[in-house]
Amino acid sequence: MPVGLQAQPSLGVPGKKRWAMVIDLRRCIGCMACVCADKAEYDVPLGVWRTIVKVKDTGSYPNTKRHFMPRLCNHCDNPPCVRNCPTEATYKHEEGFVLQRYERCIACRTCIAACPYNARHVLPKNRDRVKIGGVIDKCTFCHHRVAADLVPACVQTCLGRSRIFGDLNDPNSEVARLVARHSVVTLKPEKGTAPQVYYIKPDRVHTEQVLSRPVSHAARADAEAFYRHNRGTQFFSGVL
Ligand code: SF4
Ligand code: SF4
C-alpha cells in the first residue's frame, strides 16, 4: 500500500519487502536489451529514457577499452524528488519503490531539478497509444510486474545477467547475498539519498587480462593483415 510524502524510508520496515537492484558491471555487455525492454514495456517516447546504458571508450587503438554503465532511478531511501514535490505526486512506497501519481502531477519540474541522477523526464502530450502525457515520468522498478510476481522488464531481458532484482530484507535473496559478499557502491553517496541500486564494480584483474598486450598485438596484426588484403581494392575508397 502506498504511503505519503512524510513516509519514513523503506529501510527496515518490519515485515515488509525492501526491493532493490544489483547491477554487476563485470557482466554488462552493453547489448542494450534492457533499454529496449523498457521502451517496449512502457511505450517510452523517442528522446526520453527510463533506463539507459552509458558507454565510454578509453585508450587509443589498438589498446582501447569500452565501459558500460547501466543507469536508472535509484529508488532512493531518502529521495529529494519526493521531499520537494509540492503536490505529493511522487512518493516513497513502503516496499521501497519511488512512484508517480500522474493525476497529481502538475509538471512543475521540481523533482527533475531535485534528482541528482537525471532520472526523470517530461512525457510529451498527445501520445499515440498511451493516454498519459504532459506529466513527469521515471522508472518504477516495474511495480506492476513485481506485484504480479515478475521481475522488472530490464532484469527479465538482461542478456548478461548483469541486473539482479530482489528483496534486500530476505537474507536468502540473491540481491542480499550479493550486497553482503561484495563491496558494492552506489552513485553519488555524498548526496545522502541512500540509493537502492547497488553496483558491483568491474573486476580489474580479469578485465586487464582480456585487454593485455598479446591481445593488442593480435589486434594490430589482424588490422595489418586486413589492410594488406584490401589494399588497392574499392574497400578503402572514400574511407582513407
Ligand atoms: S534517483 Fe532521482 S528520481 Fe529516483 S528516487 Fe532518487 S532522487 Fe528520486
Ligand atoms: S541488458 Fe544487461 S548486459 Fe545488456 S546492456 Fe542492459 S544491463 Fe548490460
Side-chain angles (χ1 to χ4, degrees):
M1 179 186 297
V3 290
L5 183 66
Q6 277 76 39
Q8 291 301 307
S10 68
L11 266 175
V13 175
K16 298 294 177 191
K17 294 184 186 300
R18 183 180 163 209
W19 296 112
M21 188 178 291
V22 172
I23 298 182
D24 189 342
L25 293 177
R26 300 170 304 178
R27 301 184 61 97
C28 179
I29 55 174
C31 62
M32 311 288 167
C34 50
V35 180
C36 298
D38 194 59
K39 282 266 181 186
E41 184 78 15
Y42 296 95
D43 198 22
V44 181
L46 287 175
V48 294
W49 311 86
R50 296 166 69 117
T51 186
I52 55 169
V53 179
K54 292 206 155 208
V55 179
K56 185 177 176 190
D57 293 326
T58 57
S60 54
Y61 180 83
N63 296 306
T64 56
K65 297 177 190 176
R66 177 160 279 191
H67 313 265
F68 304 110
M69 182 68 191
R71 297 279 303 271
L72 69 162
C73 168
N74 288 283
H75 294 268
C76 306
D77 262 351
N78 185 22
C81 57
V82 171
R83 280 202 310 279
N84 288 285
C85 176
T87 63
E88 299 187 20
T90 186
Y91 64 98
K92 179 80 176 168
H93 189 283
E94 62 190 350
E95 292 186 345
F97 308 93
V98 173
L99 299 175
Q100 285 290 101
R101 284 186 275 243
Y102 298 114
E103 72 282 4
R104 281 176 170 257
C105 179
I106 56 172
C108 65
R109 294 161 170 75
T110 310
C111 57
I112 292 181
C115 172
Y117 305 101
N118 199 18
R120 290 173 169 260
H121 57 267
V122 186
L123 282 178
K125 292 179 181 162
N126 306 322
R127 300 170 67 201
D128 288 344
R129 289 191 289 148
V130 182
K131 296 237 177 327
I132 303 162
V135 291
I136 309 300
D137 205 13
K138 62 178 272 300
C139 157
T140 57
F141 259 0
C142 279
H143 175 249
H144 65 295
R145 290 176 59 95
V146 176
D149 282 336
L150 300 169
V151 292
C154 63
V155 174
Q156 175 85 46
T157 320
C158 180
L159 293 187
R161 218 170 166 274
S162 174
R163 295 181 183 234
I164 299 123
F165 185 80
D167 176 14
L168 269 187
N169 277 351
D170 173 3
N172 294 318
S173 70
E174 191 175 2
V175 284
R177 283 188 278 120
L178 287 170
V179 168
R181 281 186 197 162
H182 295 269
S183 51
V184 291
V185 295
T186 54
L187 298 180
K188 300 186 180 176
E190 73 280 4
K191 298 286 182 188
T193 53
Q196 295 306 303
V197 175
Y198 298 86
Y199 290 87
I200 298 176
K201 291 197 281 188
D203 185 335
R204 300 308 302 175
V205 175
H206 291 117
T207 311
E208 296 304 330
Q209 258 179 12
V210 170
L211 296 162
S212 60
R213 287 198 71 77
V215 177
S216 300
H217 284 311
R220 179 178 288 276
D222 200 36
E224 286 169 358
F226 180 80
Y227 179 78
R228 277 197 303 278
H229 181 73
N230 289 288
R231 191 168 41 197
T233 69
Q234 290 295 309
F235 185 86
F236 291 111
S237 64
V239 180
L240 295 176

